[in-house]
Structure formats: structure tokens, C-alpha cells
Amino acid sequence: MSIMEAGSRRLIAEHCAAIEKSVSWRTLAADLDPVLAQCFNVTARCGCFMQAARSLNIKATRLRKQLAQLETQLQCSLFSPSDNGVALSRDGLQLHSQLIALAHERDLPVIEQPLVRLAVAESILHDILGRDLVALLRRNASVRLDIISLDSELSLRAVSADVVLWLAGTDSPLPGPSFAISEPRRLARLDYLPHIAKRYSRVASRPDSLDDLADFLLVQWQHDRQVDCFRPWNNLVDQRLAGVVQLHSYELMLEMIRCSACIGLLPGYMSRFDRGLIGLPGLFNAPMQRQVWLAVNVHSEGDEQVQMIVELINSTFNERREWFEG
């Protein structure tokens, strides 16, 4: 046999082996369990186990178990150690390329998540619930959540939602949402009083009577003008001929109190939310109080995703119970 003939046969054998291996990977990819294939594809696409788990709405430990199951099934290692996240091994690259070739990653259907509509009072959303909602989204990147900010009684009556969290008087949850809801549940009582930034008011010079407020700029959130129990504060603001700022933005009002030596009406828990602010008790004889109420749409109260939001709200208020006591 000539050297050229031997070399030719060797090349043909290597070519046939490559074809057989390619066909083998294609067959394996086509026969994979769709859930395991999706876990692998999302991990390969994200390059990070944690982000892939969030996208799939599962725990990272469960994702790793499923990927380990896939490697056991294929009898190969699909990932290689890397300092820059998740790196595919040679076999992992082969599998990924075959899955992509199979009708754009097999056209795995995206499981539609139910839309959950959460309507919440703007101040509660900003001060109390916002941080835990962000944490929820970090854990669950596939959630469909519509967050509606309630900044007036009119918006509360007009809104349609699955979960609603609003502020009302101390006697009843009315006025409440206009759609059919479960029995409203009281979560907390909020006491309101004027606040000022500590850095703009030394202890000895802090106002302790209404007359002392004459030398201070007052700032008012326009939404508070509609609240009947805030009448003592609203009357004081209305009497001012100068030194008043009216705002439609809750966040901007907070920023002005923090940075502009203004005095504004805030919930009593504010000194816990922002330790740079301090309340000014004793300025008004009548207490200014509101209640936080929670209710669920009767048509969606049994939905799993709705219950997840309700549990989050209950947990948040339980963890901050000391904010509302005393």
C-alpha cells in the first residue's frame, strides 16, 4: 500500500468519525428533555448560574442539580472552570450549537406568567415596600408585575388591581377601591407629624410651638391637601403668605426636607427610614393618624402569584412592626 493511499484512507476514516459524532450530538440534542435543554440553554446564554436561575424562576441549587442530571445523562462534562462566570466545555459547545441549530434553540415555548397588578399608596411604596419588591425581582426575573402608584383618593377609586394597599382613616377602610375586594385587613397605624433635617436644626433651637415655625420654610405634598385628618397642618400652610412650597412629587418633598431646611408633614416612622430626619412632636393638639389597609381582588385572590405578593407585603410589615408601634 502506498503512503498516499494510507493517508487518504486515514482522512476518510477521520471524516466519517466526525460525521458520526456530529450526528450523535444532533440526535442527543433532539432527544433531550425540554426542561433540561432549557436549563442548559439559559445557563449558556447568561454565563452565570445565579442569573440563569433568576430567569428560569428557580433556585440556583435546583438549576445546578438539573444540569448535573443532564451531564450524567450525557456522560460528559458540559462546563469548564472559569474566572469569568460559566464557560462551556468542548462537549458543552457541541451540544449548544446543535440545540441552536434545532429550530432556534428548539423553539422552546416561553411559559406565560400571569400578570399581577399591585396598586399601592405612593408613600408606602417609596418608604416601606420598595426595597422588598426590588429583592423579589432579583430572585424572580420572569415575574410579570404591574405596579400602580396611588397618589390620590380619585386614583384609588379608579384603579383596577389584584392587590391593593392604601391609606384611609382610623375608623374604617373607606373610601376604598371600587372593584370587588376581600375583607380589608388593617396592617398598621401611622402617626403623622412635622419633620426637619437634623443638620438644619440644633436641639436647643428646634421649634416646639406653632409660632416657632414662622422662621422656617414649609413644604407640602399636594396629595395631603385632600386628607381630612391633616386639617391642622393644612390650615397652617394655607395661612402662610410666604415661605411655602407646594409639590406634586413625594420624593422631591423628601429631598427638600433633607437638603433645604424645610419642614414637612411625614409619617412618624420617617426617622427610622432616614436617620437624618427628626420629628417635631407637640406642635399640634389633635393627632394626625391614618391606617394602612390591604385587600385582594375577589376574582384573583386564589392565584399563586397574587398570594406571593400578599405574603411579601405581610412579611414586610411584620418585619417593620417597630416602625409603627409607639
Side-chain angles (χ1 to χ4, degrees), residues 88-103:
L88 294 177
S89 65
R90 180 177 298 179
D91 289 332
L93 290 170
Q94 286 276 10
L95 176 61
H96 194 223
S97 65
Q98 292 302 324
L99 287 173
I100 293 175
L102 288 171

Side-chain angles (χ1 to χ4, degrees), residues 123-197:
S123 58
I124 300 299
L125 177 62
H126 180 274
D127 302 342
I128 299 175
L129 200 58
R131 184 176 299 177
D132 286 349
L133 281 173
V134 171
L136 171 69
L137 299 179
R138 283 203 303 266
R139 298 190 304 267
N140 186 353
S142 63
V143 69
R144 291 181 66 205
L145 185 60
D146 185 7
I147 301 176
I148 306 164
S149 177
L150 303 175
D151 59 1
S152 68
E153 183 179 312
L154 181 62
S155 64
L156 173 61
R157 297 293 296 169
V159 75
S160 176
D162 299 295
V163 182
V164 59
L165 193 64
W166 76 100
L167 291 164
T170 56
D171 298 329
S172 77
L174 300 177
S178 59
F179 56 89
I181 57 174
S182 61
E183 184 69 24
R185 191 161 71 86
R186 186 180 62 184
L187 296 183
R189 188 196 71 190
L190 305 184
D191 294 281
Y192 289 77
L193 64 160
H195 281 71
I196 190 172

